[in-house]
Amino acid sequence: MTAVSPYFDDLRCQPEVIHPPQNEDCTVIGEHMNEPAQHTAKPNVTVSSSVRELLECPVCLNAMYPPIHQCSNGHTLCSGCKPRVHNRCPTCRHELGNIRCLALEKVAASLELPCKYQSFGCIGIIPYYSKLKHESQCSFRPYNCPYAGSECTVIGDIPYIVAHLKDDHKVDMHMGSTFNHRYVKSNPHEVENATWMLTVFSCFGQYFCLHFEAFQLGMAPVYIAFLRFMGDDESAKNFSYSLEVGGNGRKLIWQGVPRSIRDSHRKVRDSFDGLIIQRNMALFFSGGDRKELKLRVTGRIWKEQ
């Protein structure tokens, strides 16, 4: 593929984080997947690396989808990058105009490719124009690290993420479906948008993340505790959990379904899907002179029948 002018270097998007392994010359595919649990045989489909290069945008390096644009010299460009290059071909600098590369669009329509999460276990063979949608929903796509105390970019399957949390983030690991944690903060009036604690529980052959943090809700600082399931959304619905906090003869109880770590920590927190404790109530539960936060959060996880 022709090299891109340095003028366009700053327009490049980051390439995909994960790519399925590919042979240098071609990929030979001999299986077809209609449903996750059903596989039917079909003739081998060979997609040469040169065809893949033709379908690669020279600016963002991503696969191109209709409308695919071309200049008068035949150089192609994806529709997303066309306005970013000010209507100039990134290869020859000629004006792009509004020429569609219909031939290349038809070639793409005839292709079937492996899912990019092939290395994670997906054996699906996907029509070219359905590939993006499939990959956005693929059950084999990796998980993001659920640790919210930093902008961690690590991704992987659940065993890898669990090991990463333990080894790199030094997260506490517990066995069992019940928990009893005490959270102490010397100055509860200092509220920052940061997670105080993340604990991982192993039970029922699965892993769960317990979050507890302080954040600002409007002008009022509040505390929230919630549980996330380390797996997909459908599997998360098989479990429930309860959280309880109290003191001075009073208590608050929350019961809910753990959210999958497919949902970001911020998304769960901002939807208030957990045990929310106003600061005045938290200080009341803490007792004493109300100058130190001492909260005991207990709870349990169970599997629905």
Side-chain angles (χ1 to χ4, degrees):
M1 185 175 64
T2 308
V4 182
S5 168
Y7 172 79
F8 295 97
D9 283 351
D10 60 337
L11 296 174
R12 291 180 180 272
C13 298
Q14 292 297 321
E16 296 283 349
V17 176
I18 298 177
H19 294 286
Q22 300 176 9
N23 294 332
E24 291 183 358
D25 297 324
C26 67
T27 299
V28 180
I29 307 158
E31 295 183 85
H32 177 70
M33 182 178 75
N34 292 322
E35 298 295 339
Q38 298 177 353
H39 311 288
T40 57
K42 70 176 300 176
N44 286 350
V45 179
T46 302
V47 181
S48 68
S49 59
S50 59
V51 172
R52 294 194 181 198
E53 288 180 1
L54 286 174
L55 290 165
E56 184 181 88
C57 174
V59 175
C60 67
L61 303 182
N62 293 324
M64 295 187 290
Y65 296 89
I68 299 175
H69 298 277
Q70 70 174 22
C71 72
S72 57
N73 288 327
H75 302 127
T76 55
L77 182 74
C78 78
S79 58
C81 289
K82 184 173 182 283
R84 301 168 61 197
V85 298
H86 308 293
N87 206 37
R88 290 286 176 182
C89 174
T91 303
C92 66
R93 302 301 305 278
H94 282 193
E95 185 175 350
L96 283 172
N98 292 304
I99 308 173
R100 288 271 296 272
C101 188
L102 298 177
L104 190 56
E105 291 179 8
K106 290 181 179 180
V107 168
S110 69
L111 300 180
E112 291 182 314
L113 303 174
C115 173
K116 74 175 180 178
Y117 301 125
Q118 187 181 59
S119 61
F120 286 89
C122 182
I123 60 172
I125 303 303
I126 319 299
Y128 184 85
Y129 289 143
S130 301
K131 192 168 180 286
L132 283 182
K133 181 179 180 181
H134 165 84
E135 290 172 349
S136 70
Q137 303 171 349
C138 180
S139 60
F140 291 95
R141 67 191 190 278
Y143 294 87
N144 295 316
C145 172
Y147 191 80
S150 64
E151 295 298 325
C152 184
T153 59
V154 168
I155 61 175
D157 58 18
I158 295 301
Y160 180 84
I161 291 296
V162 170
H164 163 70
L165 289 171
K166 180 181 178 181
D167 299 336
D168 298 329
H169 293 299
K170 310 303 179 185
V171 169
D172 290 334
M173 301 282 174
H174 293 273
M175 298 290 293
S177 59
T178 60
F179 45 89
N180 186 336
H181 284 297
R182 190 173 184 228
Y183 301 95
V184 179
K185 188 172 176 64
S186 59
N187 187 355
H189 297 281
E190 295 179 359
V191 176
E192 300 176 352
N193 288 317
T195 295
W196 288 10
M197 184 174 291
L198 173 66
T199 307
V200 173
F201 295 90
S202 174
C203 56
F204 306 107
Q206 306 289 339
Y207 291 96
F208 301 82
C209 299
L210 176 64
H211 294 262
F212 183 85
E213 82 169 86
F215 72 104
Q216 202 80 19
L217 180 59
M219 298 298 294
V222 298
Y223 309 99
I224 185 171
F226 56 88
L227 195 74
R228 288 204 286 168
F229 175 72
M230 297 187 70
D232 59 34
D233 297 304
E234 286 303 312
S235 298
K237 296 175 183 177
N238 295 325
F239 300 91
S240 295
Y241 74 102
S242 64
L243 296 173
E244 180 179 311
V245 62
N248 288 330
R250 280 84 168 174
K251 66 174 63 173
L252 291 175
I253 299 175
W254 165 267
Q255 181 173 318
V257 176
R259 297 276 286 273
S260 166
I261 60 172
R262 295 283 189 205
D263 290 335
S264 70
H265 155 268
R266 181 179 295 274
K267 181 177 180 180
V268 178
R269 187 197 72 182
D270 291 351
S271 67
F272 313 122
D273 192 2
L275 176 64
I276 297 179
I277 313 159
Q278 302 293 333
R279 184 175 65 180
N280 287 339
M281 183 65 73
L283 292 174
F284 178 77
F285 288 153
S286 299
D289 56 9
R290 298 169 62 92
K291 292 183 179 179
E292 185 177 45
L293 181 71
K294 296 178 181 178
L295 286 179
R296 184 175 297 278
V297 177
T298 62
R300 70 184 185 96
I301 306 166
W302 66 91
K303 189 172 184 178
E304 295 292 350
Q305 298 300 321

